[in-house]
Amino acid sequence: MQIKYQTEIISIEDYWDLFEGTGWNKDYKISKQDLSTVLEKSWYSVAAYDGDRLVGFGRVSTDGLLHAMIYDLITDPAYQANGIGSEILSKLVNKCKDENIRDIQLFCAKGKRKFYEKRGFVARGEESPGMEYKILMKCSSGGK
């Protein structure tokens, strides 16, 4: 298995097949057209392909400066435990770091918390849902 990663916009057909095939649309009940809009409005995404089959995907929305939110980190169940989700997450986080975004957050599915904690995310308090990735910023000269 040779997985190739890409950051170009993927086809809605590929994403729809993964989104539907993994059961993600069971609760969302989103149309293919609306899912296409989600892709178009995302700031950055990473797709994992095995040949021409989309087997993993993740995306980021951001204000470009302070906050970024990771959404839809999906790996085809037949490909889980092969490092694909980890690689996608790493690429998403590194892009945010490269752009000096100060706060990276995500919501994780029930039972997936440890996956994210192993990769630098920390659970927020009970009164603050979600998780975030703490980036320690160095003050520039003259900064407070």
Side-chain angles (χ1 to χ4, degrees):
M1 169 175 50
Q2 185 173 354
I3 303 298
K4 293 189 179 176
Y5 296 90
Q6 73 175 49
T7 58
E8 297 84 24
I9 301 257
I10 61 173
S11 81
I12 186 56
E13 298 302 326
D14 288 348
Y15 191 38
W16 180 256
D17 290 346
L18 181 64
F19 204 79
E20 281 280 311
T22 55
W24 276 56
N25 206 17
K26 185 177 96 182
D27 292 326
Y28 288 116
K29 297 175 178 50
I30 193 169
S31 70
K32 190 184 288 189
Q33 181 58 43
D34 286 345
L35 193 61
S36 179
T37 300
V38 166
L39 284 178
E40 292 168 13
K41 296 201 179 264
S42 297
W43 174 71
Y44 183 75
S45 63
V46 176
Y49 281 90
D50 182 8
D52 58 1
R53 179 179 176 191
L54 180 66
V55 297
F57 182 79
R59 65 187 184 90
V60 175
S61 291
T62 183
D63 58 24
L65 187 60
L66 289 178
H67 302 285
M69 188 74 157
I70 295 174
Y71 293 106
D72 303 339
L73 183 57
I74 306 172
T75 303
D76 183 312
Y79 287 79
Q80 290 179 359
N82 288 302
I84 295 168
S86 298
E87 184 66 21
I88 292 170
L89 182 61
S90 176
K91 289 177 181 304
L92 296 173
V93 167
N94 286 338
K95 176 66 172 178
C96 292
K97 287 176 164 182
D98 290 347
E99 299 294 327
N100 295 315
I101 294 171
R102 286 139 176 94
D103 178 50
I104 306 168
Q105 298 185 32
L106 61 83
F107 290 102
C108 69
K110 186 176 182 178
K112 300 296 184 184
R113 180 173 159 175
K114 288 186 181 186
F115 171 85
Y116 293 102
E117 287 176 336
K118 287 179 185 177
R119 289 150 185 91
F121 285 81
V122 294
R124 298 177 72 194
E126 291 297 319
E127 69 287 350
S128 304
M131 300 181 80
E132 62 187 340
Y133 189 91
K134 292 288 188 181
I135 298 175
L136 301 176
M137 301 298 293
K138 295 179 183 175
C139 290
S140 59
S141 59
K144 294 186 179 187

